[in-house]
Amino acid sequence: MWAATTNSDVISRWANRWRTSVWAVHLGASGLFAVDLDAHGGTPPAQPLNGLPWPQADPPPADGIDTYATLAALSGGVVDTTTFATDTPTGRLHLVHTDGERRWKTSRGYVRDGDDTVRTGLGWQIDIKANGGYVGLPGSVSTAGPYRRASTTTTPTPPAAWLVDALTRTGHDRTATPARRPPVCGGGRRAPACARYAASALRSACSQLAAMEPNTGRNRKLFRSASRLAGMAEAGWIDRPAVEAALAQAAHHGGLPAGEIRYALASGFARPRRAPDIRSAA
């Protein structure tokens, strides 16, 4: 049963009726969120933190508690032991913090198949539980065993400044205005690879446009090509005038009228797509 209430009379009736239930707190509605640190084993990825390089001198983390402790240290903070915390029967640790504005989003820190880097949540085996989630309360007993209080207090505290910064950096802030993320390529030794990628993309688009027959979606193809290459132009991988001239020439060769070409190009550059992650090409 997943019902929730703050009515003490209802809670008493539930306690008398379901004596073996696992009691939990409803996150979000209670103005709380939890950092859920897993300990389910497995091989850690090469980069266990989302958006931060793992310190070369440190051993790989054994679990979410290790990952979280390293994140705190890299962020100039420490793991908060002054907030309400619970040890679960499966070895997890729940750190519960206040979230009166329901600011934070739920997430799960894991590695996608075939990857060696955590790109979601805060890091490997770190989950954020917020609106709509639950965490078990000390005193409850599940089939796996008892939930035990791991803190000296039963009062949740606000998240530390370093944790707020980390959650904001990794996109957990539901009140933030989404910002255009920079393309993953950068400068230095990767710049030539980006330029080669963009030039190849332009040649491929032009070749396809020039060979297209009428009534086969030439307008749409030109718009999508312009939109894709506009993002690369914004990132500095290729010059916009060169892109516009080459696409216009290819579309003209394919038989598109000049007015349609100008409109499709303008529309595409007005809606640039984010340049792709081409680190593997560098």
Side-chain angles (χ1 to χ4, degrees):
M1 182 174 181
W2 295 92
T5 184
T6 58
N7 187 309
S8 58
D9 292 335
V10 174
I11 292 173
S12 296
R13 289 200 299 272
W14 287 350
N16 288 325
R17 182 174 181 182
W18 292 290
R19 295 180 181 276
T20 60
S21 295
V22 174
W23 291 88
V25 60
H26 186 288
L27 302 169
S30 60
L32 303 173
F33 81 101
V35 181
D36 179 3
L37 305 177
D38 291 341
H40 49 60
T43 303
Q47 294 298 332
L49 295 173
N50 182 9
L52 291 177
W54 189 259
Q56 293 184 353
D58 286 10
D63 52 29
I65 298 174
D66 274 359
T67 307
Y68 191 65
T70 299
L71 172 62
L74 290 174
S75 304
V78 295
V79 176
D80 188 357
T81 58
T82 64
T83 195
F84 176 51
T86 303
D87 283 324
T88 78
T90 56
R92 298 158 77 169
L93 176 64
H94 294 158
L95 301 172
V96 181
H97 293 285
T98 56
D99 182 22
E101 297 179 355
R102 301 191 190 186
R103 177 178 177 183
W104 307 115
K105 299 178 183 178
T106 295
S107 72
R108 185 166 68 92
Y110 70 102
V111 184
R112 294 185 175 93
D113 291 342
D115 203 351
D116 65 351
T117 299
V118 172
R119 305 184 192 279
T120 62
L122 286 179
W124 185 63
Q125 295 197 18
I126 301 174
D127 297 341
I128 300 299
K129 293 188 173 182
N131 289 286
Y134 290 79
V135 287
L137 292 172
S140 296
V141 179
S142 72
T143 54
Y147 288 75
R148 303 183 187 277
R149 181 151 56 91
S151 57
T152 58
T153 181
T154 57
T155 303
T157 62
W162 74 263
L163 178 55
V164 171
D165 290 343
L167 289 168
T168 302
R169 173 180 58 81
T170 51
H172 287 82
D173 189 350
R174 66 175 62 253
T175 67
T177 301
R180 184 183 296 278
R181 294 180 297 170
V184 181
C185 177
R189 66 182 182 85
R190 288 195 174 122
C194 296
R196 289 194 298 271
Y197 183 94
S200 175
L202 178 59
R203 286 194 299 271
S204 176
C206 288
S207 176
Q208 294 174 44
L209 274 168
M212 291 181 75
E213 298 291 334
N215 302 317
T216 57
R218 293 174 300 177
N219 260 320
R220 184 64 180 167
K221 172 64 178 176
L222 178 57
F223 166 78
R224 295 174 69 175
S225 298
S227 177
R228 182 183 180 214
L229 284 152
M232 299 182 207
E234 279 193 351
W237 298 6
I238 194 169
D239 291 333
R240 172 171 175 167
V243 172
E244 291 180 313
L247 289 177
Q249 182 177 2
H252 176 74
H253 189 275
L256 272 179
E260 293 184 23
I261 293 173
R262 287 194 298 270
Y263 180 80
L265 286 175
S267 298
F269 270 90
R271 299 170 179 81
R273 291 169 55 187
R274 180 175 180 260
D277 181 342
I278 64 163
R279 283 176 292 187
S280 60

